[in-house]
Amino acid sequence: MFTFKFPKFSCRMNIVNGDFIYVLRSCNCACGSNCDGSMAVTATARVMNGGSGGAGGGQVAVVERERQQVIGASMMEQLVPEITTHALSYLDYPSLCRLSMTNSSMRRAANDDNAWKALYHKDFTMEQDSITPANGWKAYYAATRAIVNINQHFFDIIRDRSLPEMGRLWLNADYVKCIHASGEFFTGYSGVLGSWQLALNWEPAVNFQVRDVRSRVLPGVAWVTMKAYVGMEHNTHPMSMTNVFELHNGQWFMVHHHSSVMLADGEVADQPPMLG
């Protein structure tokens, strides 16, 4: 018997009845035993005396494909679902998507609904643990990420003071509503956009720091609640904001915005800025 090592694998060569038998092991040792028996996976290939019908000497069977299929894929498949889900919970959104494109076994593992539910809870909130998304947690995660991104775009527009972008964000409809932190109320697309024109032209630029973002996505409608701090100073009173979006022709549009200053008990608010 001859023993030698490859990276992460050991190989044992036995001679049985004149045939060479190569054994690849996944335990990364050359002990020739089953180690603890927990994760031992082997792939074998023979070099037959006289070959298998080919001309000349013995023909070597290629074991690389067996090694990839038996050792690489089956080790993931042999894990119980709970362990697989726990292992995948350490991956972020881009990594889980890339994993699903490696091979069929990884695609099945990466598309597991429990893995996407765990990722949703890690990236967003535990508040919706009891819901059952109609199209699964992967689709719900993607929809939530889209809403969170468009909500962040709203604050980018305020920071950049871009009225054209604000106009494209809002749905052009007569039922849209906007309540600024000043308490002023505007309705209809023209009225809402006019209020933002006044705010963006006269108020100083504001770089909101957004915290405690919570979202809920339903077919065709979604809303986001959050706290928004002015600049980097978190010792000021945050604004409590709610944004509501509707889906039209595959694109999310804002239809409602409400902002108000959060006060402690007994405090009296100064006149807040219109922005927000």
Short mmCIF file of all heavy atoms in Angstrom, two decimals, residues 48-60:
data_model
loop_
_atom_site.label_atom_id
_atom_site.label_comp_id
_atom_site.label_asym_id
_atom_site.label_seq_id
_atom_site.Cartn_x
_atom_site.Cartn_y
_atom_site.Cartn_z
N MET A 48 -6.59 -1.25 -14.40
CA MET A 48 -6.73 -2.69 -14.61
C MET A 48 -5.53 -3.22 -15.38
O MET A 48 -5.00 -2.56 -16.27
CB MET A 48 -8.01 -2.98 -15.40
CG MET A 48 -9.26 -2.37 -14.77
SD MET A 48 -9.63 -3.05 -13.14
CE MET A 48 -9.99 -4.74 -13.57
N ASN A 49 -5.12 -4.42 -15.05
CA ASN A 49 -4.07 -5.08 -15.80
C ASN A 49 -4.51 -5.29 -17.24
O ASN A 49 -5.60 -5.80 -17.50
CB ASN A 49 -3.75 -6.46 -15.19
CG ASN A 49 -2.93 -6.34 -13.93
OD1 ASN A 49 -2.21 -5.36 -13.75
ND2 ASN A 49 -3.05 -7.34 -13.05
N GLY A 50 -3.70 -4.83 -18.12
CA GLY A 50 -4.03 -5.02 -19.53
C GLY A 50 -5.05 -4.05 -20.04
O GLY A 50 -5.46 -4.12 -21.20
N GLY A 51 -5.48 -3.09 -19.21
CA GLY A 51 -6.44 -2.10 -19.67
C GLY A 51 -7.84 -2.65 -19.71
O GLY A 51 -8.13 -3.76 -19.30
N SER A 52 -8.76 -1.85 -20.27
CA SER A 52 -10.16 -2.24 -20.36
C SER A 52 -10.59 -2.29 -21.81
O SER A 52 -11.62 -1.76 -22.19
CB SER A 52 -11.04 -1.25 -19.58
OG SER A 52 -10.80 0.07 -20.06
N GLY A 53 -9.77 -2.88 -22.62
CA GLY A 53 -10.14 -3.01 -24.01
C GLY A 53 -9.35 -2.11 -24.91
O GLY A 53 -9.36 -2.27 -26.12
N GLY A 54 -8.59 -1.11 -24.32
CA GLY A 54 -7.80 -0.20 -25.15
C GLY A 54 -6.52 -0.88 -25.58
O GLY A 54 -6.09 -1.88 -25.04
N ALA A 55 -5.88 -0.31 -26.61
CA ALA A 55 -4.62 -0.88 -27.08
C ALA A 55 -3.51 -0.53 -26.12
O ALA A 55 -3.50 0.55 -25.53
CB ALA A 55 -4.30 -0.34 -28.48
N GLY A 56 -2.56 -1.42 -25.98
CA GLY A 56 -1.40 -1.13 -25.16
C GLY A 56 -1.64 -1.45 -23.71
O GLY A 56 -2.44 -2.31 -23.33
N GLY A 57 -0.92 -0.71 -22.85
CA GLY A 57 -0.93 -0.98 -21.42
C GLY A 57 -2.22 -0.57 -20.76
O GLY A 57 -3.22 -0.22 -21.38
N GLY A 58 -2.20 -0.58 -19.41
CA GLY A 58 -3.37 -0.26 -18.63
C GLY A 58 -3.82 1.19 -18.80
O GLY A 58 -3.02 2.08 -18.99
N GLN A 59 -5.08 1.40 -18.76
CA GLN A 59 -5.69 2.73 -18.90
C GLN A 59 -6.10 3.23 -17.53
O GLN A 59 -6.80 2.53 -16.79
CB GLN A 59 -6.91 2.66 -19.84
CG GLN A 59 -6.58 2.13 -21.23
CD GLN A 59 -5.64 3.05 -21.95
OE1 GLN A 59 -5.86 4.27 -21.97
NE2 GLN A 59 -4.59 2.50 -22.53
N VAL A 60 -5.71 4.46 -17.19
CA VAL A 60 -6.02 5.03 -15.88
C VAL A 60 -7.40 5.69 -15.91
O VAL A 60 -7.66 6.51 -16.78
CB VAL A 60 -4.97 6.09 -15.47
CG1 VAL A 60 -5.33 6.70 -14.12
CG2 VAL A 60 -3.59 5.44 -15.42
#
